Amino acid sequence: MVVSIVHGGTDNGPPILHDFSTNGHPLGPPPLAMDAVLKADRLRYPDPSYAALRECLGNWHDVDPSRVLPCAGGSEAIRRLSLAALLEGVTTVCVPQPGFADYGVAAEVLGLTVRGYSDAAGLATLLDQLDRRALVWVCDPCNPTGASFTVAEWLALDVALQRHDSRLVVDQAYEPLRLVGSNALPAVLSDRAWRMMCPNKALGLTGVRGAYLLAPRADDGTERLLALASSWVLSSEGQAMLMAWTLPAVQSQLRESLQVLRDWQGIQWRRLASLGMRQRAGSVANFWLARLPSTDHRTAAEQLARLRAQGIKLRDASSFGMPGWVRLSVQAPPALEALVLALGPMLDV
């Protein structure tokens, strides 16, 4: 089975001047993180056990280093977790809809049954209806909606998960760029879940592939996940980026930058609303869903193509199961002005 997955960010077209399709930090990488990547030792293989990295990340998260599993990006982690689930006898995978297509595709290519859910209540209901163990994906904040579970929703989900000892994976790739509130995942559930961390987005280094999983406190599947990884699954650059992620100066700069993103988000929302864009509220992240202003004779795809021809890329949400919608990320004021200028003539024709 051949499956084509649409992604945001870099494509095979002309250079992108203003990229609203990527969730990478618009201010770019902190200098210390960038310096660490540039100084990475490219002449030698990294330690195949990644002992120093696992200890560093374990100390930072206050977990045993054995619970830290380096990965070659979030997509590789999704594929590996899906394969491990299959080997454990799991036949059903629950994925958010709308949601990141990789969850479902990774399951389908292995012959697993994919069941979609729309929100926390929908997921709890789905799990109550299942008569077998499942692999359950939760993205919080969710891509592409930016929605986030409350404490009550997490606890209700926990009850449903335990009915058939279902495995929970929480994708926290967008947590470091959360602009509203704080993560509500209860510690008791966090200890029983797999958690996926993808710092390259918050660091503005999406071209450096590197992520890691935090295993449950007590799980006999950790060794299998390690064994399923390819040798040297993480490059020297990826390892350097993840080590830099834990530096106090890098974390401090990231925290300070979030207020800038909040200010830009407010400006961007108001400007686009003034053009007639319908924007979906409720996102706590640095991105949200919107519809392009409608015209009598242009489809959303045609509008996106015209914008792309001018070097402006928006994320078509069709691959998330939402045709006619786009995902927008917070971008700097010059990028917003370019988008507004490009949209103006399109609406006047």
Side-chain angles (χ1 to χ4, degrees), residues 45-91:
Y45 290 113
D47 169 16
S49 69
Y50 299 100
L53 173 63
R54 296 176 74 188
E55 182 175 3
C56 176
L57 291 170
N59 289 338
W60 195 62
H61 285 283
D62 194 24
V63 303
D64 191 279
S66 64
R67 293 174 60 187
V68 179
L69 282 66
C71 306
S75 294
E76 189 271 327
I78 292 169
R79 298 280 174 158
R80 209 189 318 170
L81 282 163
S82 301
L83 178 56
L86 172 67
L87 295 175
E88 291 171 5
V90 172
T91 59

Side-chain angles (χ1 to χ4, degrees), residues 81-337:
L81 282 163
S82 301
L83 178 56
L86 172 67
L87 295 175
E88 291 171 5
V90 172
T91 59
T92 302
V93 178
C94 302
V95 303
Q97 290 182 339
F100 187 36
D102 281 44
Y103 306 137
V105 170
E108 288 172 349
V109 296
L110 295 174
L112 301 174
T113 299
V114 177
R115 300 281 298 275
Y117 67 89
S118 59
D119 53 24
L123 176 54
T125 301
L126 172 58
L127 290 176
D128 283 339
Q129 295 171 346
L130 291 178
D131 59 359
R132 66 197 68 186
R133 190 182 188 207
L135 174 65
V136 178
W137 286 96
V138 173
C139 186
D140 192 294
C142 185
N143 176 25
T145 64
S148 183
F149 283 10
T150 65
V151 173
E153 289 171 332
W154 280 119
L155 293 175
L157 173 59
D158 189 23
V159 173
L161 286 166
Q162 294 185 59
R163 184 179 299 274
H164 296 292
D165 190 29
S166 290
R167 166 172 285 186
L168 172 65
V169 187
V170 184
D171 181 350
Q172 296 186 298
Y174 307 102
E175 180 61 33
L177 289 171
R178 179 187 289 264
L179 301 182
V180 180
S182 58
N183 184 274
L185 179 65
V188 64
L189 185 51
S190 176
D191 281 343
R192 290 202 295 269
W194 286 85
R195 295 163 60 198
M196 188 168 76
M197 310 293 180
C198 305
N200 59 349
K201 295 175 176 61
L203 292 175
L205 288 166
T206 54
V208 180
R209 306 307 299 158
Y212 58 98
L213 291 166
L214 293 179
R217 184 177 294 276
D219 189 274
D220 58 4
T222 304
E223 290 303 316
R224 170 170 274 165
L225 259 292
L226 285 170
L228 287 174
S230 60
S231 299
W232 295 288
V233 67
L234 193 62
S235 69
S236 296
E237 292 91 342
Q239 177 175 249
M241 176 188 69
L242 294 180
M243 294 283 280
W245 172 242
T246 67
L247 295 175
V250 170
Q251 288 296 315
S252 176
Q253 186 170 344
L254 174 59
R255 286 192 298 271
E256 292 172 0
S257 73
L258 295 184
Q259 186 55 53
V260 175
L261 299 190
R262 292 185 189 101
D263 293 341
W264 287 357
Q265 182 188 50
I267 295 170
Q268 189 168 315
W269 183 284
R270 292 189 293 273
R271 290 295 302 279
L272 296 179
S274 70
L275 294 178
M277 288 190 76
R278 175 185 170 193
Q279 299 174 90
R280 183 166 169 171
S283 173
V284 303
N286 64 315
F287 54 84
W288 63 96
L289 288 167
R291 278 188 179 275
L292 288 171
S294 61
T295 64
D296 293 334
H297 56 287
R298 284 206 181 91
T299 65
E302 289 172 327
Q303 290 177 314
L304 287 171
R306 289 196 63 179
L307 290 171
R308 183 65 186 87
Q310 298 177 65
I312 301 171
K313 187 176 181 185
L314 279 62
R315 177 71 155 89
D316 187 343
S318 296
S319 67
F320 295 116
M322 298 191 69
W325 290 79
V326 296
R327 190 192 67 198
L328 291 160
S329 60
V330 177
Q331 295 298 319
L336 173 60
E337 291 305 316

